[in-house]
Amino acid sequence: MKGKICVITGANAGIGRETALGLARLGATVVMVCRDAVRGAAAQEEIRRLSGNDQVHLVLGDLSWQDSMRRAAQAICQRFERIDVLVNNAGGIFSRRQESPDGIELTFALNHLGYFLFTGLLLDKLKGSAPARVVNVSSIAHWLGWIHFPDMQFRRFYFAPLAYHQSKLANVMFTFSLAQRLAGSGVTVNCLHPGVINSNFFKKTSGFERLVKWALTPIYQTPEQGAGVVLYLASAPEVAAISGQYFVNQNTAPTSPLAKNRQMAERLWQESEKLTGFHYAE
Ligand SMILES: NC(=O)c1ccc[n+]([C@@H]2O[C@H](COP(=O)([O-])OP(=O)(O)OC[C@H]3O[C@@H](n4cnc5c(N)ncnc54)[C@H](OP(=O)(O)O)[C@@H]3O)[C@@H](O)[C@H]2O)c1
């Protein structure tokens, strides 16, 4: 990956940190997008030390806040001449309903609109760097998801798993829709399930989500294992031409039938453009 510039969101912890470390070890220039200066700088230092690669950079940005995303994307476009790989990874689950600084339900704002807007803001750079790759970290949990029109933001009734499953289904739909729009551009788009990973993911949860965390204990894998498929999609030559697929381990895998619902995906796309004020060029 020498000479390649890879941008990873949520790169200071969990799967994102291990992805950043793996890419740094492969010789890539790594751009970590993190929301907290102290946590970000500590991870940056550690990744530089462990990889022996000093081309590990930090850009600050809150992926749930659209102004912050715009500033981060602008900083990246100014500082780096190209983007070969974008890994959309930052995400979370929230036990009680919260809103982003833009007043959007936080799971939807971070896990879906964060991917949608950040990719859009970096797309010209990605296209100009083609062949380039976008890798979206989704989840097998998308199988349980539904896009809850007309209450996608759960104003009437909030339950964390519903919001999370919706957002991960949205990641798969976004991947398929974008791959179709980018056909022939030299930019590929794929998504994945990383496994069930013992990261900080459930750390700030309570109640039902805690129970889920406990129930999953026997099948937990390490964040390093979770980063395996991300690294594969970001760097393996054999997937360079593959686009619009969902991966589990290093294989394409079936998605839920709903993930292929074109009508629902198009409606989600329109709503996402409305909520971000960002319009992808046709
Ligand atoms: N863990 C699993 O079993 C599992 C399974 C399937 C899919 N996934 C997906 O994998 C991805 C990574 O999860 P993980 O398990 O690695 O979780 P994690 O350990 O909690 O790491 C999440 C990363 O995202 C960052 N982040 C959270 N909110 C952010 C914001 N508003 N702006 C910028 N960065 C933000 C976190 O930064 P801070 O340190 O500042 O919070 C952290 O670096 C998520 O998309 C998740 O849905 C996870």
Side-chain angles (χ1 to χ4, degrees):
M1 294 296 280
K2 272 212 168 71
K4 306 264 188 211
I5 301 183
C6 305
V7 178
I8 303 130
T9 70
N12 63 286
I15 297 161
R17 177 194 174 280
E18 293 303 323
T19 301
L21 177 58
L23 288 167
R25 280 183 169 143
L26 290 173
T29 293
V30 171
V31 182
M32 305 168 60
V33 185
C34 305
R35 64 173 157 174
D36 183 274
V38 175
R39 286 196 294 275
Q44 177 191 25
E45 261 328 293
E46 206 185 4
I47 290 170
R48 280 183 174 165
R49 184 175 57 76
L50 292 172
S51 65
N53 179 346
D54 65 355
Q55 288 306 304
V56 178
H57 305 269
L58 176 63
V59 170
L60 292 179
D62 181 335
L63 277 303
S64 71
W65 180 17
Q66 296 178 13
D67 271 359
S68 176
M69 261 187 273
R70 287 177 196 279
R71 285 193 294 272
Q74 194 177 23
I76 290 169
C77 290
Q78 278 167 0
R79 273 174 68 183
F80 301 96
E81 73 276 9
R82 51 188 296 112
I83 302 173
D84 299 282
V85 177
L86 167 64
V87 178
N88 288 308
N89 162 77
I93 185 165
F94 308 100
S95 291
R96 59 178 184 81
R97 188 181 186 280
Q98 297 172 56
E99 289 189 351
S100 70
D102 302 301
I104 298 170
E105 190 282 311
L106 190 55
T107 325
F108 195 71
L110 173 64
N111 295 11
H112 169 59
L113 294 179
Y115 289 21
F116 182 89
L117 178 57
F118 204 54
T119 305
L121 293 168
L122 297 178
L123 196 55
D124 284 344
K125 202 73 160 184
L126 283 157
K127 281 181 179 168
S129 313
R133 308 180 188 197
V134 177
V135 180
N136 295 323
V137 180
S138 177
S139 170
I140 199 165
H142 85 270
W143 271 85
L144 302 173
W146 179 269
I147 306 296
H148 295 259
F149 303 120
D151 191 24
M152 286 188 306
Q153 297 193 46
F154 302 98
R155 289 198 172 88
R156 285 198 294 271
F157 171 74
Y158 180 83
F159 182 47
L162 286 185
Y164 182 70
H165 298 156
Q166 169 180 269
S167 73
K168 293 290 127 180
L169 174 62
N171 292 161
V172 182
M173 286 181 163
F174 170 56
T175 300
F176 292 173
S177 300
L178 186 62
Q180 208 162 50
R181 282 170 159 85
L182 291 180
S185 70
V187 181
T188 62
V189 196
N190 291 295
C191 61
L192 63 102
H193 168 61
V196 178
I197 306 303
N198 194 7
S199 61
N200 291 341
F201 187 72
F202 282 110
K203 225 172 198 170
K204 289 184 201 141
T205 55
S206 57
F208 180 77
E209 295 76 58
R210 274 275 137 153
L211 199 67
V212 172
K213 177 182 166 55
W214 174 80
L216 292 173
T217 309
I219 55 167
Y220 270 136
Q221 293 180 291
T222 64
E224 193 180 355
Q225 288 172 306
V229 59
V230 191
L231 285 169
Y232 177 71
L233 290 175
S235 65
E238 59 267 33
V239 287
I242 296 180
S243 193
Q245 297 293 327
Y246 168 71
F247 281 76
V248 180
N249 297 316
Q250 297 192 352
N251 300 305
T252 56
T255 62
S256 71
L258 214 55
K260 296 187 193 117
N261 184 316
R262 295 288 319 142
Q263 224 179 343
M264 202 178 240
E266 195 47 40
R267 186 162 170 204
L268 174 68
W269 188 280
Q270 302 304 332
E271 293 292 335
S272 306
E273 287 199 336
K274 236 185 269 169
L275 284 166
T276 57
F278 183 87
H279 296 278
Y280 277 75
E282 280 309 315

